[in-house]
Amino acid sequence: MRGPRPATAAACGLAVTLLVGGCAPMGRQTTDGGVQQVQATDGGAAGGAGEGAAPADGGLLTSADRLLLVQLRQAALWEIPVGRAAARRGSQGATRKNLGQIAARHIQFDAVNRRTAAKLNVPLPNSPNAEQQSWMSEITGKSGTDYDKTAVARMRTAQGLLYARTAAVRASTRNTTMRQYAQQVEAFLNGQLKLLEATGFVTVDTLPDPPTVTGAPPPGVPGRRASPAPAATSVLSGR
């Protein structure tokens, strides 16, 4: 089973957002591996410095800020029932244990998410969206090892995209409450990713494509060590 692979546009969106404040909205993974555009709750673009900004507790709150709160809530709405089911149905002990922990951690963090959204006056959904419901149906229809692989692959892709979006918000938000929240989200998602990876079902073919970058060094020659970089000089000492 080959897990979902987000389109290159998502990686590009993250890189540009982190460096210059955003371009096109990041996509959301569709069931067939494509990208479906995600709109912010007020119809603004999901990203970009100051887009859709409005006064809130802690400073200006952008469309990207609000969207992250919504997406964390939506993640909880589908991953909690999937994690609980996997704690019973998983074919491997690691799957049952780790996905059960993922559900429990989501329940705890969802309380943080809802409190933050209430403080910032951001409305949250109360049910998974259609795409997430299709993932749940896909996972439910599997059995044995395929069940484990599908559940882990879907969760890992979704969590990875959220991790990237959280980093972009953490780097760009104008709101102090949202900045603190994004730090909490990063720690939460990092723990979720570790649990998924510890199942043994996160393999090369289930990972998303790496981001497209420029300026990276060329590949090294196998068997040959790269020369060490020269020592940095001290500006203060003049050496």
Side-chain angles (χ1 to χ4, degrees), residues 15-229:
V16 176
T17 299
L18 289 173
L19 294 175
V20 299
C23 55
M26 297 185 86
R28 183 176 66 221
Q29 181 77 27
T30 58
T31 305
D32 62 0
V35 169
Q36 175 180 344
Q37 294 297 333
V38 178
Q39 295 296 324
T41 54
D42 64 352
E51 289 185 3
D57 187 2
L60 288 177
L61 198 71
T62 67
S63 295
D65 296 339
R66 294 190 291 273
L67 184 59
L68 183 62
L69 286 159
V70 169
Q71 290 178 328
L72 261 293
R73 170 65 172 170
Q74 286 183 319
L77 290 171
W78 81 272
E79 291 189 14
I80 289 173
V82 168
R84 283 174 165 171
R88 302 187 306 271
R89 290 190 54 195
S91 67
Q92 303 296 316
T95 304
R96 295 191 297 271
K97 177 183 176 182
N98 291 14
L99 269 62
Q101 289 183 22
I102 283 175
R105 295 179 84 249
H106 254 308
I107 292 171
Q108 292 179 338
F109 194 80
D110 189 51
V112 175
N113 194 52
R114 287 184 285 110
R115 284 196 303 269
T116 305
K119 183 177 183 180
L120 297 174
N121 197 29
V122 176
L124 297 178
N126 288 315
S127 60
N129 61 34
E131 184 179 36
Q132 291 164 339
Q133 291 174 21
S134 73
W135 295 345
M136 295 169 71
S137 297
E138 177 191 15
I139 295 167
T140 301
K142 304 289 184 178
S143 61
T145 302
D146 283 342
Y147 175 88
D148 297 41
K149 288 181 178 179
T150 305
V152 171
R154 284 297 181 189
M155 282 189 173
R156 177 61 170 72
T157 296
Q159 297 282 348
L161 289 174
L162 273 177
Y163 194 81
R165 290 165 185 156
T166 301
V169 169
R170 170 67 180 84
S172 65
T173 185
R174 273 68 169 157
N175 186 280
T176 55
T177 298
M178 195 66 195
R179 188 172 299 120
Q180 181 180 12
Y181 166 78
Q183 288 178 286
Q184 293 175 289
V185 175
E186 284 180 321
F188 166 71
L189 292 177
N190 189 50
Q192 300 290 75
L193 290 170
K194 286 182 178 179
L195 286 169
L196 289 167
E197 290 157 3
T199 63
F201 287 108
V202 176
T203 55
V204 172
D205 65 333
T206 65
L207 295 173
D209 294 326
T212 301
V213 299
T214 58
V221 178
R224 180 187 300 175
R225 291 187 178 182
S227 301

